[in-house]
Amino acid sequence: MPEALRPVLVNAARRCTDAEVTPALLAAMVKAESGFDVNAARPEAEEYGIAMWTPSVFRAWAVDGDGDGDGDGDGDGDKDYRSPADAISTMSLYVCRLDQQFKKAHLPAEDLQALIAAGYRTSDRTVIEERGVPERVKPHVDKVLRFLAAYER
């Protein structure tokens, strides 16, 4: 993981009190999503930036992770999915909610990090309805879990 992103990942993980949402999990997810490329893009899916946000979903969850907001609340750049700090901080907030939804649905505690990665790629509803990682995102989730194991060493 890029050393410059370490404080961003640590600070983002602190936004969630759930034990499953760790800097290592966020790093593994970002690595799987974009390879830490701030200019990553999948235009066909409308996904952009280091955390591969769709702009509309990002706007619904966005937080100012780098503190560069001008404070006037007019939305003129306070939060930007192209900013690694904003994108990763928003990712933390979003996956924290996924984690809480999966706990409410009584999904297996030992699978929560895999479920979080699956939910980020699909939706909490899809994961809950399937009672686990949907087959179509399993290769992506496996990649996240491999990166997670490496980052936790």
Side-chain angles (χ1 to χ4, degrees):
M1 116 184 42
E3 191 60 37
L5 285 180
R6 190 174 301 270
V8 170
L9 292 158
V10 169
N11 288 335
R14 286 187 185 136
R15 291 180 173 272
C16 182
T17 59
D18 291 25
E20 298 78 24
V21 180
T22 64
L25 176 63
L26 296 176
M29 290 178 65
V30 171
K31 173 76 172 166
E33 290 292 334
S34 70
F36 296 107
D37 180 358
V38 298
N39 297 311
R42 282 188 214 109
E44 70 282 358
E46 296 184 43
E47 297 174 338
Y48 302 96
I50 197 165
M52 298 308 284
W53 282 107
T54 58
S56 62
V57 174
F58 179 82
R59 279 191 301 274
W61 288 90
V63 295
D64 182 11
D66 54 15
D68 69 349
D70 58 15
D72 64 6
D74 67 1
D76 65 352
D78 297 351
K79 303 165 198 140
D80 186 349
Y81 60 86
R82 293 164 299 197
S83 157
D86 292 356
I88 294 168
S89 294
T90 302
M91 174 189 267
S92 179
L93 180 72
Y94 185 79
V95 301
C96 191
R97 182 181 177 281
L98 290 175
D99 189 39
Q100 292 162 4
Q101 292 299 106
F102 300 151
K103 288 174 181 174
K104 280 187 208 170
H106 306 290
L107 295 180
E110 65 274 10
D111 296 341
L112 284 169
Q113 289 182 314
L115 298 171
I116 289 168
Y120 192 76
R121 267 286 101 210
T122 60
S123 71
D124 56 337
R125 182 177 19 197
T126 300
V127 171
I128 291 167
E129 286 174 358
E130 296 201 22
R131 305 300 298 163
V133 174
E135 197 58 41
R136 69 182 174 87
V137 296
K138 190 164 180 2
H140 177 80
V141 171
D142 289 344
K143 187 188 316 184
V144 170
L145 294 177
R146 280 192 308 277
F147 293 141
L148 177 60
Y151 292 145
E152 286 181 333
R153 276 188 246 147

